[in-house]
Amino acid sequence: MHDRLNKNSMAVLKMVRASHSHPTASEVYEAVRQERPQIGLASIYRILHNLVEQNYIKELRHGDDTCRYDAHTARHDHAICTQCGALLDIPIDVALPQDLLEAAAQATGIEFSSHELRLYGRCPTCQGQAVQHKTVE
Amino acid sequence: MHDRLNKNSMAVLKMVRASHSHPTASEVYEAVRQERPQIGLASIYRILHNLVEQNYIKELRHGDDTCRYDAHTARHDHAICTQCGALLDIPIDVALPQDLLEAAAQATGIEFSSHELRLYGRCPTCQGQAVQHKTVE
DNA sequence: AGAAAAATGAGAATGATTATCATTATTAGT
DNA sequence: ACTAATAATGATAATCATTCTCATTTTTCT
């Protein structure tokens, strides 16, 4: 565990930071290959795990079986499309009442440290597709 | 797609309902095998998917790579242990202000239909273990 | 009963992730 | 700078949850 990042790690971190679409390990691999063609997929996984452990990035999981990465490490909330599964960042700060969060935590006995709000519904793209679908048929 | 459940499906549903621990497909398989020893794992997966589709149960996913099932289909929130990954139901209704949810949905453009609050922190078991760990060492 | 349709289970296939390990790069001590 | 020790790398095999395939069995309908 070192503090300083080497070239491979820097390339991975830069890629995740540049992407706004929560890339998967494979997507990171394909993008980083452009700059560092000799890098292996195993290193991508290793480096992503290290970056998560060192808090440079966060790991995201939802519906599908691949996990995604996000360089936006500050606490924020997500919207999940019930049709296509897309995971969107909620771009505003949703200030939930602290007392409600604490009451909920107390009800389970956990030592409350953070939270996330998830909204479910059809994303703008899928709403558009649904309309188009109807008019076409 | 039928309305009526057959014996295998009933056995699976009963097991998921009886369990309070969000069982995985393998756990359901092992438990259902006791009553119906000839059942195959493929059927467990098929039946679980059908039950989800027919809204008898819900599928849950968090940190690990296995998906879990829950017969508690009413909207409710979860607490996730940051140490062991346990997913606990929050046993009270957390009434978040509707206007905040709607504002958040509007910010992403999704057609808001439901939501889930996730709390993160150490679960009671892990809190206990941490204390024990310290006194032992 | 008998034909058609659906469900079943055994095992193979898939696909993301992890482990292994020989090789290469980096660091530390002198 | 020179070597010994240590860590990082990448190719490939292994793992494991889940899905697919398909021949057989069960159910449904008449």
Side-chain angles (χ1 to χ4, degrees), chain A residues 8-127:
Chain A
N8 279 345
S9 298
M10 275 304 297
V12 168
L13 179 55
K14 265 172 54 183
M15 188 278 166
V16 177
R17 283 195 171 145
S19 167
H20 284 218
S21 60
H22 307 307
T24 64
S26 302
E27 285 162 1
V28 174
Y29 179 50
E30 290 308 327
V32 171
R33 242 137 117 57
Q34 320 266 51
E35 299 190 16
R36 320 210 97 236
Q38 80 297 349
I39 201 169
L41 184 54
S43 298
I44 298 291
Y45 277 101
R46 240 189 324 248
I47 291 168
L48 286 170
H49 288 162
N50 291 345
L51 292 175
V52 168
E53 201 163 302
Q54 297 172 253
N55 251 73
Y56 283 105
I57 61 178
K58 274 170 80 178
E59 199 177 281
L60 300 173
R61 261 189 221 251
H62 58 297
D64 59 4
D65 55 359
T66 69
C67 86
R68 293 172 169 277
Y69 295 90
D70 187 355
H72 185 195
T73 55
R75 200 209 71 71
H76 63 282
D77 303 300
H78 291 106
I80 296 166
C81 179
T82 48
Q83 188 166 319
C84 72
L87 180 79
L88 310 168
D89 286 344
I90 294 178
I92 62 173
D93 180 47
V94 184
L96 299 177
Q98 192 69 19
D99 54 337
L100 281 184
L101 301 181
E102 276 163 14
Q106 197 152 50
T108 64
I110 71 158
E111 213 171 66
F112 170 54
S113 63
S114 184
H115 74 279
E116 178 198 347
L117 174 66
R118 295 187 161 201
L119 299 182
Y120 295 93
R122 297 225 318 284
C123 72
T125 306
C126 286
Q127 290 171 42

Side-chain angles (χ1 to χ4, degrees), chain B residues 42 45 49 66-67:
Chain B
Y45 277 101
H49 287 162
T66 68
C67 86

Side-chain angles (χ1 to χ4, degrees), chain B residues 6-123:
Chain B
N6 63 19
K7 289 184 179 178
N8 278 346
S9 298
M10 274 305 298
V12 169
L13 178 55
K14 265 172 55 182
M15 188 278 167
V16 177
R17 283 195 171 146
S19 167
H20 284 217
S21 60
H22 307 308
T24 64
S26 302
E27 285 162 2
V28 173
Y29 179 50
E30 290 307 328
V32 171
R33 243 137 115 57
Q34 320 266 49
E35 301 190 14
R36 321 211 96 235
Q38 80 297 353
I39 201 170
L41 185 53
S43 298
I44 297 291
Y45 277 101
R46 237 187 329 246
I47 291 168
L48 286 170
H49 287 162
N50 290 345
L51 292 176
V52 168
E53 202 162 300
Q54 297 174 253
N55 250 73
Y56 283 106
I57 61 177
K58 275 170 79 179
E59 199 177 282
L60 300 173
R61 260 187 222 252
H62 58 296
D64 59 7
D65 54 0
T66 68
C67 86
R68 294 172 170 276
Y69 295 91
D70 188 355
H72 185 196
T73 54
R75 201 210 69 74
H76 62 282
D77 303 300
H78 290 106
I80 295 166
C81 179
T82 48
Q83 188 166 320
C84 72
L87 180 79
L88 308 169
D89 286 344
I90 294 178
I92 62 173
D93 180 46
V94 184
L96 300 177
Q98 192 69 17
D99 55 337
L100 280 185
L101 301 182
E102 277 162 14
Q106 199 153 48
T108 63
I110 71 159
E111 213 170 62
F112 170 54
S113 64
S114 183
H115 75 278
E116 178 198 346
L117 174 66
R118 295 188 162 202
L119 299 183
Y120 294 93
R122 296 227 317 283
C123 72

